[in-house]
Amino acid sequence: MSSHPTAPAVGRPPGTREVPTIRRRDGIGGVLAFRKDQLGFLRAGLDRYGDILRFRPLGIPIVLVNHPEHIRHILVENGENYDKDAVLFRVVRPVLRQGLIANADMDLWRRQRRMMAPHFTPRTVANFARNMTDETVRMLQGWERRTAEVLDVTDEIGQLALRIVNRSLFSAEVGATAQAFERAFGTANAILGAFFRFPFPPLSVPTRRNRKLHRAIDEMDTFVSTFVRARLAGDAPTGEDADLLTLLLHSVDEEDGEGMELEQLHHEVLNICIGAYETTTNTLSWAFYLLARHPEVEARLHAEVDAALGDRSVPSFEDLPRLPYTRMVIDETLRIYSPAYQFMRRAREEDTVGGYRIPAHTNLLINSYFLHRHPDFWPDPERFVPERFTPEAIAARPKHVYTPFGAGHRICIGKHFALTELILVLATVARRYRLTLPHATTEVVPEALITLHPKGGIHLRLEERR
């Protein structure tokens, strides 16, 4: 896809073009088309205009960029000019508040990142790997009497993900509260996804929908605050056994020598819970679905896991280098179905991107659902081909054509935690079980909420490997 030139505009810098805009007469549709089918609307716009275009849901101008060079410029080369005071993050901020994911205050974000980054390095994540495998084994023990049943994989993995993140954060078990958190997040995800597509009436208006949203937020807040209050009132694990909450409570900013205020800590913990839960739940659900549809890939995955583990049934952090194909399966799943499939930036000052004028305060949308399917960089993009992620194939592509965790200085802080968890859980399950299609015609479609969710969930039949 290539961007189409447009007519000169009065007042723009010499040598630049105006971003083409979807108009009613184009036949693509307007705000109602975007509201009804976000992905279909954007696909039609990209097919007509190429890799950069503007659209206006309810009069709010948004520029979609879909080329790795554009994205490299926005997130890396001129990243300081682009903040998160963009419409998508304003939509999710009632949930995420001032946590790292949606924080628009650059100074506060830098301070928080400085304090938190040391606790998310590969070396630190290694201390939590046992939590990941222990909880997965616990899930598999619950599957022992369910062979041949059709499992709600999305629900099973969702509960697993919350057990892992809460054991890592709080050294605690979540029990039935995990399902309550899942339901609350699902409600907020659906409501905010619909609000992004049609932002009216404002979330401050006490409509039935908005009251439902605020109840869901209260439930998630209660989930987090219960554990935080318990920690403040009791003893905390120390040394190598220290959990993330302990590490965050004792973090001190190297510049001002101060720690994190309790309200900010609450925001960060909620962000971690949501980010870790949603990434793991959706990515592994899609991974098992894709493996069920591609038995030849599944067979190669099983062969690698068996060879790497030998007579052991559970992988460890030290096994990760021996599981390169397992990592490729995860990477290819993230290519096709990235949970964080869209994110935005706002231009603080006027800029030029790919020869196009970007006025100050423009909202820029990066949608990896389309970027990861760009035919110029991904041949036959709908096919599930883990070999796209061999070292040679990665080196042959532009770096910023693959952005499941974002890029630049605001790349996801939990990337190492997420990838470690995804690989270890997948390998632990694959060592013992297969998840197969209950019917040959089983097909799951993505639902574009704030995150990319499998519509109706993934339901697969459990089979023990022989």
Side-chain angles (χ1 to χ4, degrees):
M1 291 180 287
S2 60
S3 302
H4 297 191
T6 55
V10 176
R12 61 175 167 78
T16 63
R17 295 169 284 178
E18 290 297 311
V19 175
T21 300
I22 295 177
R23 304 185 188 281
R24 189 176 300 274
R25 64 175 179 268
D26 295 337
I28 294 171
V31 63
L32 294 181
F34 180 69
R35 181 184 187 184
K36 181 179 180 181
D37 181 5
Q38 177 184 335
L39 295 179
F41 174 86
L42 296 177
R43 165 54 65 201
L46 290 168
D47 288 345
R48 182 177 180 92
Y49 289 112
D51 291 334
I52 185 167
L53 59 94
R54 180 186 287 110
F55 61 104
R56 300 175 183 272
L58 287 189
I60 302 169
I62 297 174
V63 172
L64 173 66
V65 293
N66 195 53
H67 193 281
E69 290 305 307
H70 300 348
I71 291 162
R72 180 167 64 90
H73 177 84
I74 293 165
L75 299 183
V76 181
E77 289 180 345
N78 200 21
E80 289 298 316
N81 185 52
Y82 293 91
D83 63 26
K84 285 195 173 183
D85 195 17
V87 61
L88 176 62
F89 290 112
R90 291 199 294 270
V91 166
V92 300
R93 202 160 287 133
V95 176
L96 300 174
R97 268 71 59 96
Q98 293 299 312
L100 284 183
I101 295 175
N103 195 325
D105 182 332
M106 298 288 275
D107 291 335
L108 177 59
W109 173 84
R110 288 189 186 93
R111 183 179 188 273
Q112 290 301 113
R113 184 86 180 203
R114 283 196 303 269
M115 284 195 287
M116 295 174 65
H119 310 315
F120 289 89
T121 63
R123 181 178 178 180
T124 306
V125 168
N127 295 329
F128 301 113
R130 184 65 181 270
N131 297 344
M132 302 168 185
T133 53
D134 282 354
E135 293 299 332
T136 307
V137 169
R138 179 180 169 189
M139 178 183 74
L140 298 185
Q141 289 170 345
W143 287 5
E144 287 178 355
R145 297 183 181 180
R146 303 180 67 183
T147 303
E149 282 188 26
V150 174
L151 302 181
D152 183 339
V153 175
T154 306
D155 182 60
E156 293 283 329
I157 298 298
Q159 293 185 56
L160 169 65
L162 278 175
R163 288 198 301 269
I164 291 171
V165 72
N166 281 278
R167 183 167 163 179
S168 301
L169 262 170
F170 310 123
S171 300
E173 295 188 3
V174 294
T177 59
Q179 290 183 315
F181 185 94
E182 278 189 287
R183 287 193 298 271
F185 176 77
T187 295
N189 197 8
I191 291 173
L192 294 176
F195 184 75
F196 173 66
R197 297 191 301 273
F198 190 79
F200 186 83
L203 296 176
S204 58
V205 177
T207 63
R208 181 179 178 182
R209 176 203 68 185
N210 292 348
R211 290 196 298 271
K212 186 177 181 181
L213 170 65
H214 290 296
R215 284 196 298 271
I217 294 171
D218 287 344
E219 288 180 29
M220 288 187 284
D221 281 340
T222 299
F223 178 86
V224 168
S225 62
T226 298
F227 289 108
V228 173
R229 285 198 303 269
R231 173 54 49 77
L232 293 174
D235 295 331
T238 59
E240 290 188 0
D241 294 328
D243 55 30
L244 276 170
L245 180 56
T246 299
L247 296 175
L248 295 177
L249 275 168
H250 292 90
S251 295
V252 174
D253 180 33
E254 62 186 22
E255 292 192 4
D256 62 26
E258 299 293 328
M260 204 181 302
E261 294 184 0
L262 284 181
E263 183 179 17
Q264 185 66 36
L265 175 69
H266 179 102
H267 296 166
E268 300 298 0
V269 169
L270 180 60
N271 277 233
I272 293 168
C273 284
I274 290 174
Y277 159 76
E278 187 67 1
T279 298
T280 301
T281 302
N282 285 334
T283 303
L284 286 173
S285 296
W286 286 118
F288 288 122
Y289 171 71
L290 290 166
L291 289 167
R293 295 182 66 90
H294 298 83
E296 73 288 354
V297 175
E298 182 190 57
R300 183 172 173 186
L301 170 70
H302 288 164
E304 176 180 87
V305 171
D306 292 348
L309 300 189
D311 59 0
R312 291 178 293 126
S313 60
V314 181
S316 67
F317 184 84
E318 290 70 30
D319 289 313
L320 292 179
R322 293 188 285 274
L323 296 168
Y325 191 73
T326 309
R327 167 68 186 267
M328 290 184 221
V329 169
I330 293 298
D331 283 337
E332 177 70 342
T333 302
L334 286 167
R335 181 188 71 82
I336 300 175
Y337 296 121
S338 288
Y341 74 108
Q342 61 179 2
F343 54 95
M344 296 186 80
R345 294 292 187 269
R346 183 196 68 132
R348 303 170 76 183
E349 305 290 342
E350 182 168 317
D351 196 13
T352 300
V353 175
Y356 289 92
R357 173 178 171 264
I358 304 297
H361 311 306
T362 297
N363 291 282
L364 293 109
L365 174 64
I366 298 169
N367 188 304
S368 64
Y369 185 85
F370 299 113
L371 180 67
H372 293 173
R373 287 167 167 78
H374 198 305
D376 289 356
F377 307 101
W378 306 101
D380 200 0
E382 295 295 339
R383 284 186 60 217
F384 179 58
V385 184
E387 289 78 7
R388 297 182 200 271
F389 289 91
T390 63
E392 297 77 16
I394 292 171
R397 283 190 302 268
K399 180 178 180 180
H400 296 97
V401 77
Y402 181 65
T403 59
F405 297 99
H409 64 291
R410 294 201 70 157
I411 193 168
C412 175
I413 196 172
K415 176 182 177 180
H416 296 304
F417 189 103
L419 287 172
T420 298
E421 181 179 6
L422 292 168
I423 295 167
L424 290 178
V425 173
L426 181 60
T428 304
V429 175
R431 182 71 164 130
R432 182 166 176 184
Y433 288 106
R434 299 181 64 219
L435 290 159
T436 63
L437 299 174
H439 308 287
T441 57
T442 298
E443 184 173 359
V444 182
V445 297
E447 185 175 18
L449 307 177
I450 291 298
T451 55
L452 195 70
H453 191 78
K455 190 171 184 179
I458 304 285
H459 297 80
L460 299 172
R461 191 178 305 282
L462 181 66
E463 293 184 5
E464 193 165 0
R465 288 185 59 196
R466 302 298 180 188

